[in-house]
């Protein structure tokens, strides 16, 4: 695929607007009773009408067979090879919370969790305690945890999540997660992954030890797990590569975090899809690229709630016309991965995609679903090709070569 | 994709013959009144019959979303990654005109253009003045332009085009175009792109200055624009990689130029498709790979002439049987890019392709068109895979690995 150096030479600024609508985890699997996926079950007259006016296809965001996390899934949709442009969970969460991360800082994503008297994890998410409660716990940790020579800060995130930031000299992010990823096990020790991180791993162990004592009586949030020790990535921005002025509208911190890494402006998104659309309309004249993220499809899929995901799709479909009335030059609807309710988690399955634009060369697809989009003109393709396709359809790319 | 080093080990010489038929810019977009593309509108019984006997698909020659120039488009069809095997406009044009280019020479493609009294470009192509007129102007420039220490030669090309060759010591091709790509602007100064080219840029500026004075009264060709300062590329040949003995039949210099870079013999092609077919038949026994280029489909598309492009397709279809009666072992029909009349220029859209051979594994496609070929057995794929497919279908590739 064409690289950023070449794209940079071809990209031109024009008034045309690109709108990337991500329904998180949109791809699904057939319900065993009906043989229909969530998308095929949902009544989606507006998505189907849009598909009929579009070129469609099936995409994968990382590589065939690979189940993407949210960050690589979105990096791919933003045009970045997710295998080349990786970054830790900690940095994504930190950026999404507007936490300042400087050179040399190490940030880690934390989950408050529940452990039993033997220290065995019984709930990796501490019953998803509310954000307010996390804030109180972070206050306690910020007052009580202290390691010489290192500034230690805890920042509450959404629900049971938080970010731990270490600031000091000679820190390294090459430290392994303490989250064993399964209940019924003990938290792991923060092991150094190479010799550069020996001291950082010791610091992390000391923090875990002090925090464990401070949280002891705070059931269900009587312990925490750390994932994704990371540093600030220095990646080229969407603006630098494509000459776009990009904006992110996403209520959840993770997606804002990834968007900030690629240089998007983060707009106040509110909480609901209606809030997001209001934000889109309010800011429509100020940007030429919008990423609008919808979480509910993924959340219901992760819960294994087939009907809930169908409902989330129908909710989206109902509001779609009020997005489309802006008449953007290029509209893309897709997901960052599939989250079949039947698997109750992210999956490797390809994701339906539609692209509508004046010169998109429509195909015969008349529905937005897995089976329908498979017959589309885009074929089955890696999602990082979407960005050049969006640019081309917005007439923002000059010819390559003589 | 498999690389040249591996292909080289697998390729074997056999008597079977491969015929690559390129209809330049063949892919299109639906006419707003009929919803049918140029190919879908044209009456093409012979292409359709051939498609029915073929395996079909949709291809892109550079990368999804990228609008290819002619050179990268053809490099891809010849099996070369067009992003890895690039070369400047100047060298392609020079090679197509049989201009000798040696190591250290710098060649540039020029367009005679029209400027007004203020030096503003009013026509980038000087009304496409005839070749004869360009020859006269090049004679004037060859007599009148003189720079110490450098041999300066102008060679007339087709219509308003010419090639400028600089021969001397210490030249560099890292000089920016003087063509601003848009009318209503002044020609740009030939700026050096790095310190190696400071002197070459000065030489180019001196040439432009002298030429400008010589052309002052030659309206409409009273100025020129330079594009693609370049050197001779040293790329592996088709013969070296595939063991083929390849020949090019193309009336236009650009396509002969690219063919010469990859080591094809350039056969006298005449002017018309009938001339080309005559050349093919005359030389059929002497080569095992033929590239036959048809320009009219692209030219009409570039003119925005939908009906003209339809006519050009039908003209081709009518003569196709006289090509096929040679009964080549492998026939490929495709384009180097799409040139939809609706866009009046090259575009990023995928290109229909058919491949007929004894063992090609036919699909259900019964027409050569964008929608029909999308249902083909080749799927949507990068065009540089065509060459190994052609070799395989010609039974010229041994098994890979034990």
């Amino acid at each position: 695929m064409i690289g950023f150096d070449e794209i940079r030479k071809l990209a031109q600024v024009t008034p045309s607007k690109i709108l990337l609508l991500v329904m998180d985890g949109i791809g699904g699997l057939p319900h065993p009773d009906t043989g229909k996926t969530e998308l095929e079950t949902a009544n989606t007259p507006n998505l189907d009408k849009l598909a009929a006016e579009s070129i469609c296809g099936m995409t994968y965001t990382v590589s065939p067979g690979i189940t993407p996390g949210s960050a690589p899934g979105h990096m791919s949709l933003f045009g970045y090879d997710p295998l080349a442009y990786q970054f830790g969970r900690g940095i994504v969460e930190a950026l999404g919370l507007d936490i300042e991360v400087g050179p040399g800082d190490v940030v880690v994503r934390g989950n408050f969790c529940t452990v039993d008297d033997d220290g065995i994890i019984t709930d990796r998410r501490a019953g998803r305690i509310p954000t307010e409660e996390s804030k109180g716990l972070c206050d306690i940790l910020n007052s009580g945890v202290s390691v010489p020579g290192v500034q230690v800060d805890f920042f509450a995130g959404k629900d049971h999540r938080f970010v731990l930031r270490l600031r000091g000299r000679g820190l390294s992010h090459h430290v392994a997660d303490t989250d064993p990823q399964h209940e019924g096990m003990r938290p792991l020790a923060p092991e150094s992954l190479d010799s550069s991180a020996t001291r950082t791993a010791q610091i992390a162990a000391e923090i875990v030890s002090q925090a464990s004592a401070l949280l002891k009586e705070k059931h269900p949030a009587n312990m925490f797990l750390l994932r994704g020790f990371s540093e600030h990535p220095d990646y080229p921005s969407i603006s630098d590569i494509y000459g776009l002025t990009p904006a992110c509208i996403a209520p959840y911190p993770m997606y804002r975090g990834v968007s900030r890494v690629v240089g998007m402006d983060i707009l106040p998104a509110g909480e609901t899809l209606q809030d997001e659309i209001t934000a889109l309309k309010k800011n429509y004249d100020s940007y030429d690229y919008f990423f609008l993220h919808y979480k509910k499809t993924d959340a219901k899929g992760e819960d294994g709630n087939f009907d809930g995901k169908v409902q989330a799709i129908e909710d989206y479909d109902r509001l779609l016309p009020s997005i489309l009335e802006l008449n953007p030059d290029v509209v893309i609807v897709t997901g960052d991965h599939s989250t079949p309710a039947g698997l109750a988690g992210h999956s490797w399955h390809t994701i339906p995609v539609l692209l509508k634009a004046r010169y998109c060369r429509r195909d015969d697809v008349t529905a937005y679903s897995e089976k329908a989009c498979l017959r589309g003109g885009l074929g089955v393709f890696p999602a990082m090709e979407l960005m050049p396709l969006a640019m081309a359809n917005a007439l923002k790319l000059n010819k390559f070569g003589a």
Side-chain angles (χ1 to χ4, degrees), chain A:
Chain A
M1 196 190 129
I2 196 161
F4 291 160
D5 286 347
E6 297 292 349
I7 287 278
R8 233 178 239 117
K9 291 181 214 157
L10 305 180
Q12 58 174 344
V13 177
T14 75
S16 61
K17 288 181 194 290
I18 297 169
L19 185 48
L20 172 67
L21 303 176
V22 175
M23 300 174 78
D24 202 306
I26 187 62
L29 281 172
H31 193 286
D33 294 342
T34 65
K36 287 184 175 179
T37 66
E38 298 90 328
L39 267 174
E40 288 162 0
T41 305
N43 179 32
T44 54
N46 297 308
L47 280 165
D48 294 346
K49 178 165 176 285
L50 187 61
E53 297 164 352
S54 300
I55 185 166
C56 300
M58 294 299 285
T59 194
Y60 50 87
T61 50
V62 177
S63 194
I66 302 305
T67 296
S70 299
H74 279 86
M75 285 300 277
S76 179
L77 295 176
F78 300 155
Y80 296 73
D81 178 353
L83 294 165
Y85 292 91
Q86 299 190 31
F87 41 82
R89 205 170 267 276
I91 193 67
V92 179
E93 195 78 4
L95 290 166
L97 291 173
D98 291 319
I99 298 167
E100 194 217 324
V101 183
D105 292 356
V106 167
V107 286
V108 200
R109 174 169 148 181
N111 276 13
F112 289 108
C113 69
T114 313
V115 293
D116 65 16
D117 293 345
D118 297 328
I120 304 292
I121 303 165
T122 56
D123 183 344
R124 283 177 59 240
R125 297 183 180 88
R128 292 187 191 268
I129 52 164
T131 305
E132 274 314 304
E133 212 164 301
S134 283
K135 279 186 183 158
L137 295 172
C138 283
D139 288 344
I140 290 169
L141 294 170
N142 281 325
S143 311
V145 173
S146 157
V147 180
V150 188
Q151 184 187 327
V152 179
D153 293 293
F154 291 85
F155 303 86
K158 208 169 171 73
D159 304 336
H160 55 288
R161 295 176 186 165
F162 66 86
V163 166
L164 166 63
R165 183 184 66 193
L166 308 181
R167 179 165 278 179
R169 284 173 191 237
L171 298 174
S172 162
H173 66 293
H174 294 126
V175 177
D177 295 353
T178 72
D179 184 350
Q181 295 279 350
H182 293 285
E183 284 150 11
M185 301 175 70
R186 278 173 218 284
L188 305 171
E191 307 258 8
S192 62
L193 296 172
D194 63 38
S195 58
S196 74
T198 310
R199 186 169 151 261
T200 312
Q202 286 164 351
I203 292 165
E206 176 60 26
I207 291 168
V208 168
S209 165
Q210 294 182 23
S212 168
L214 291 164
L215 296 172
K216 204 169 164 49
E217 305 303 324
K218 302 292 178 187
H219 188 279
N222 59 0
M223 187 54 188
F224 62 63
L225 302 171
L226 299 175
R227 281 204 281 178
F229 285 77
S230 37
E231 292 176 325
H232 192 283
D234 187 22
Y235 294 157
S237 70
I238 284 183
S239 163
D240 168 45
I241 303 160
Y242 299 96
L244 293 167
T245 308
C248 158
I249 302 174
Y252 278 71
M254 167 70 97
Y255 313 98
R256 294 201 296 268
V258 182
S259 300
R260 192 172 282 123
V261 166
V262 298
M264 290 191 205
D265 275 9
I266 310 298
L267 303 180
E271 292 282 326
T272 67
L273 180 57
Q274 185 57 68
D275 293 343
E276 294 185 63
I277 295 172
T278 304
L280 173 66
K281 292 190 172 174
K282 189 173 158 197
N283 293 279
Y284 194 66
D285 291 341
S286 307
Y287 299 90
D288 53 14
Y289 173 97
F290 292 90
F291 154 55
L292 199 140
H293 183 261
Y294 183 62
K295 178 70 177 171
K296 227 161 103 185
T297 33
D298 177 63
K300 297 297 178 186
E302 292 238 20
D303 291 344
N305 183 347
F306 191 96
D307 294 341
K309 189 173 168 190
V310 169
Q311 188 59 56
I313 294 166
E314 292 187 348
D315 290 347
Y316 197 91
D317 189 78
R318 213 168 297 118
L319 289 180
L320 184 61
S322 73
I323 298 174
L324 299 181
E325 72 188 14
L326 287 165
N327 205 22
D329 300 274
V330 177
V331 183
I332 292 171
V333 177
T334 190
D336 53 338
H337 52 76
S338 290
T339 306
L343 281 169
H346 292 198
S347 81
W348 64 92
H349 301 89
T350 52
I351 311 146
V353 53
L354 64 78
L355 185 157
K356 187 198 167 183
R358 183 170 175 192
Y359 299 109
C360 68
R361 194 195 267 164
R362 291 179 196 187
D363 48 38
D364 291 334
V365 176
T366 57
Y368 181 67
S369 75
E370 296 84 355
K371 268 193 190 153
C373 288
L374 189 54
R375 300 271 169 267
L378 294 171
V380 181
F381 68 102
M384 63 176 167
E385 293 175 354
L386 271 174
M387 194 66 164
L389 281 167
M391 289 287 292
N393 277 279
L395 305 183
K396 287 181 192 289
L397 280 187
N398 287 312
K399 185 165 68 174
F400 172 77

